[in-house]
Amino acid sequence: MSDTMRAAVLPEAGGDFELVDRDVPDPDSGEVRVAVEACGICHSDAFAKEGTYPGLSYPHVPGHEIAGRVDAIGEAVTAWVEGDRVGAGWHGGHCFSCESCRRGNFLQCESREITGITFDGGYAEYVTVPSEAVAAVPDDLDAADAAPLLCAGVTTFNALRNSDARPGDLVAVQGVGGLGHLGLQYAHAAGYETVAISRSPDKESRARSLGADHFVNAAETDPAERLQALGGARVVLATAPSSDAISSVVDGIGTDGSVVVVGVPGAPVEVDVNTLVGACGGVEGWASGHARDSQDTLEFSALRDVRPEIETYPLDEVAAAYERMIENKARFRVVLEP
Ligand SMILES: [Zn+2]
Ligand SMILES: [Zn+2]
């Protein structure tokens, strides 16, 4: 094995990607080194590109949707051996000793790490990751398919499985994009009566093939009225990062219903609390999951044949691939194959 690797590096906040040769990193105690086979490009990578997240230092390698093989293990690593197929997502490790960790709430760890933010990520041939941030990838899942499931997948899967919705309940997925096309598949596989809400009528046939029982064209129809006509939603999974779009579905919840936001808009969301009081409902948020949640997501996806729709690019084309993502042109997730 060569001592150097190719990596896509951001030289500074707001800078352009540079392809460089770097030393292959050695895993510290408690870390594994992963030979990266695929790394998704996610909208949250804009934090790294633009320098808008605390904890960044430059030069920096982004990427938190990593799938590959364990290539070396550091001291004190017992959960993994060389050759294991693994992945890593946004949650990049935790301390095991703060108050949140002592309660088993690793996502809220006071010293939590974020892959591709607080340490270099997967836009490279190799990456080192804390061993507690690593998930096993099932044999029958390709690395390129697994990569987006480690962020967009676990976010939507975990939001739905931690909601109060039960099989047969009306569950709407607002937005048919990078998150929504996965949310629809998980909602269908979970046994919900599944509604797709989109402002793009051309997405209807795709949404139905992904498992939607109903399609609401929000450009022509009031989505809240349609949801009420269907009995009121137990959950609306809001995936499109638009304040107006989120506001427009709140009146569609039924008794004990909730709008669960996973796509974060740039502006505050206006909510008429009359609806919430009447329904005893709420508007809430959900953030991804830890490594075991990711592994549950991968295993369920393999079991029920949930796959992301992806476009793949070699590492050399990182700039063009990032543009596809940030300009919202990709159908639906962009994946680098270093
Ligand atoms: Zn992501
Ligand atoms: Zn902690």
Side-chain angles (χ1 to χ4, degrees), residues 136-181:
V137 176
D139 288 341
D140 45 358
L141 208 53
D142 290 344
D145 285 335
L149 297 178
L150 289 149
C151 180
V154 65
T155 297
T156 49
F157 177 74
N158 226 16
L160 288 173
R161 74 170 177 169
N162 283 286
S163 77
D164 293 328
R166 298 189 299 172
D169 284 351
L170 190 74
V171 170
V173 177
Q174 177 254 326
V176 183
L179 289 163
H181 87 290

Side-chain angles (χ1 to χ4, degrees), residues 42 44 64-65 90 151-152 333:
C42 177
S44 299
H64 60 267
E65 299 183 352
W90 177 259
C151 180
R333 302 293 292 192

Side-chain angles (χ1 to χ4, degrees), residues 94-101 106 108-112:
H94 43 270
C95 76
F96 293 99
S97 58
C98 73
E99 287 300 311
S100 293
C101 283
F106 302 131
Q108 265 70 43
C109 171
E110 290 160 25
S111 321
R112 63 186 174 272

Side-chain angles (χ1 to χ4, degrees), residues 54-323:
L56 284 160
S57 63
Y58 294 86
H60 183 79
V61 181
H64 60 267
E65 299 183 352
I66 299 164
R69 251 175 223 284
V70 174
D71 163 77
I73 58 171
E75 274 177 52
V77 171
T78 54
W80 311 103
V81 296
E82 278 179 44
D84 283 345
R85 296 188 72 220
V86 294
W90 177 259
H91 181 72
H94 43 270
C95 76
F96 293 99
S97 58
C98 73
E99 287 300 311
S100 293
C101 283
R102 290 179 60 209
R103 293 180 193 281
N105 195 349
F106 302 131
L107 279 191
Q108 265 70 43
C109 171
E110 290 160 25
S111 321
R112 63 186 174 272
E113 301 277 347
I114 301 173
T115 310
I117 297 281
T118 60
F119 59 90
D120 280 340
Y123 290 19
E125 290 177 301
Y126 296 90
V127 62
T128 54
V129 184
S131 71
E132 76 274 13
V134 168
V137 176
D139 288 341
D140 45 358
L141 208 53
D142 290 344
D145 285 335
L149 297 178
L150 289 149
C151 180
V154 65
T155 297
T156 49
F157 177 74
N158 226 16
L160 288 173
R161 74 170 177 169
N162 283 286
S163 77
D164 293 328
R166 298 189 299 172
D169 284 351
L170 190 74
V171 170
V173 177
Q174 177 254 326
V176 183
L179 289 163
H181 87 290
L182 292 167
L184 285 172
Q185 294 178 72
Y186 291 127
H188 173 76
Y192 306 140
E193 184 178 353
T194 302
V195 186
I197 302 171
S198 171
R199 298 186 62 82
S200 309
D202 57 312
K203 287 187 177 163
E204 175 166 0
S205 64
R206 192 77 197 99
R208 287 189 184 276
S209 70
L210 292 166
D213 301 295
H214 312 273
F215 182 85
V216 179
N217 173 6
E220 285 186 352
T221 308
D222 181 335
E225 280 177 20
R226 258 313 284 293
L227 291 175
Q228 289 300 347
L230 290 165
R234 187 63 195 248
V235 167
V236 183
L237 185 70
T239 74
S242 154
S243 304
D244 290 345
I246 296 168
S247 294
S248 75
V249 295
V250 175
D251 286 348
I253 62 171
T255 305
D256 293 331
S258 54
V259 176
V260 180
V261 179
V262 291
V264 182
V269 175
E270 201 167 293
V271 174
D272 181 356
V273 295
N274 250 323
T275 305
L276 303 184
V277 171
C280 297
V283 178
E284 56 202 66
W286 187 268
S288 68
H290 53 60
R292 200 59 184 79
D293 293 321
S294 291
Q295 191 168 322
D296 290 344
T297 304
L298 297 174
E299 288 167 354
F300 184 82
S301 302
L303 180 73
R304 286 288 176 262
D305 208 24
V306 173
R307 294 291 185 279
E309 206 167 297
I310 57 172
E311 301 176 0
T312 59
Y313 297 85
L315 191 62
D316 289 355
E317 292 175 26
V318 59
Y322 183 86
E323 284 301 304

